Amino acid sequence: MTTFGQRLEKAVRPRRGDRFRKRFGKRADNDRRLGLRLALASGAVALVLVPFALLLVLVKSSFGPLNRLDEGVAQTLHAYALEHPAWVHFLQLWTDVFGPNTWRVVVVLAAIWLMYRGAPRLAAWAVTTITVGGLLGLALKVVVARARPHLPNPVDVAPGSSFPSGHSVNVTLGVGVLLLLLLPLLNRRQRMIAWIVGTVIIGGVAYTRVALGVHWVSDVVAGVVFGAAVVAATTAAFETWRREIGRRPSEPHFEGVEPEAKEHISPKGSAHGHRH
């Protein structure tokens, strides 16, 4: 005969079916949220690539209105550059300081720091993003083989093909990677400032390439769009990994590519952080 205590324990003990539904129902909810976020991320990448694909088609088909826009802007900015040598010097300084090699070095140094701090996967994401994006941009140059502007009395020259702008691709990749690494360290106001500064740097580099007469407007726009698409794609892939190991969904544009990495990035964190 069962005692009153045994009957009470049996009554209040969670049934196996309830535990099963609670455990696997929660996992199903997480899977649905992950699927939705990944679908939205993939959609965002596709939307970013649409303007690039459109520009590529228009460039390859020598679309008249686009050609006239490119030529008109190039001639206007070139005329201004010829009359203002000091302005040209400033543009050359800006484009050199924020050129592709700068971002490659900075991202590699950041990756070395992350490796030292015990965040190898985050380091791999940073290096992969800038390397793959840069190589794809270079491959597109070869495939499209668009001629650079030929202007009278050029103030600057550059080798290779024109579309997309390599400087624009790499500055977008570099700024994007650094921002997404550093956002976990910043408060709301600092994040806004960081995005504004990053946008100014990217826009400034894109402008210098056109103002110096080595790229068309469509080249630099395509470079920025392509760089943003690569960053978005690798960020979505990293978010997939985060969710697969049980971490909460994040908002990379606000929290960074890995919100949990604050102690890995900050010099004030523990000696070697916690390995992923």
Side-chain angles (χ1 to χ4, degrees):
M1 177 179 291
T2 60
T3 65
F4 175 77
Q6 290 173 327
R7 291 196 299 271
L8 180 61
E9 180 181 359
K10 183 178 180 180
V12 299
R13 182 187 302 157
R15 290 178 295 179
R16 180 173 299 178
D18 293 338
R19 292 197 300 270
F20 180 88
R21 282 190 294 272
K22 182 178 180 180
R23 178 181 177 184
F24 290 95
K26 183 178 181 180
R27 180 178 299 176
D29 289 340
N30 289 337
D31 289 343
R32 282 193 293 270
R33 287 196 294 270
L34 171 59
L36 176 60
R37 285 178 176 272
L38 293 181
L40 291 175
S42 301
V45 173
L47 287 176
V48 172
L49 281 175
V50 166
F52 176 82
L54 178 60
L55 279 171
L56 178 58
V57 170
L58 295 178
V59 166
K60 292 297 289 182
S61 63
S62 298
F63 185 61
L66 179 62
N67 288 344
R68 288 192 291 272
L69 171 66
D70 281 339
E71 292 171 1
V73 173
Q75 291 171 4
T76 299
L77 294 181
H78 183 61
Y80 186 86
L82 289 175
E83 296 175 359
H84 300 83
W87 178 239
V88 172
H89 178 71
F90 173 77
L91 295 178
Q92 291 171 332
L93 180 63
W94 185 283
T95 200
D96 289 341
V97 169
F98 297 113
N101 287 333
T102 298
W103 299 110
R104 292 164 187 156
V105 170
V106 170
V107 171
V108 168
L109 290 176
I112 292 172
W113 173 255
L114 290 169
M115 289 288 292
Y116 170 73
R117 300 288 297 179
R121 292 185 180 88
L122 194 56
W125 168 81
V127 172
T128 299
T129 300
I130 196 138
T131 303
V132 171
L135 291 175
L136 288 176
L138 183 60
L140 283 168
K141 276 180 174 288
V142 175
V143 171
V144 178
R146 187 187 196 188
R148 292 181 183 269
H150 293 285
L151 301 167
N153 303 315
V155 297
D156 204 352
V157 293
S161 300
S162 190
F163 183 97
S165 163
H167 277 68
S168 298
V169 170
N170 282 279
V171 69
T172 305
L173 293 170
V175 168
V177 167
L178 291 182
L179 276 176
L180 293 176
L181 288 178
L182 294 176
L183 286 177
L185 301 177
L186 309 178
N187 59 37
R188 182 182 295 271
R189 183 169 180 272
Q190 291 169 337
R191 288 166 180 164
M192 183 179 300
I193 294 173
W195 277 112
I196 292 173
V197 171
T199 301
V200 169
I201 292 174
I202 293 171
V205 169
Y207 174 81
T208 66
R209 306 312 288 164
V210 181
L212 291 171
V214 293
H215 277 292
W216 306 107
V217 171
S218 53
D219 295 336
V220 300
V221 172
V224 171
V225 170
F226 180 77
V230 171
V231 173
T234 59
T235 301
F238 197 87
E239 175 69 8
T240 302
W241 169 77
R242 289 184 67 259
R243 294 298 294 122
E244 285 177 349
I245 64 172
R247 293 180 179 169
R248 66 172 179 80
S250 67
E251 298 179 79
H253 66 283
F254 183 74
E255 301 175 277
V257 72
E258 187 172 19
E260 302 86 358
K262 183 174 181 178
E263 68 177 270
H264 296 300
I265 301 169
S266 174
K268 298 179 181 179
S270 59
H272 296 285
H274 299 290
R275 189 168 298 276
H276 290 194

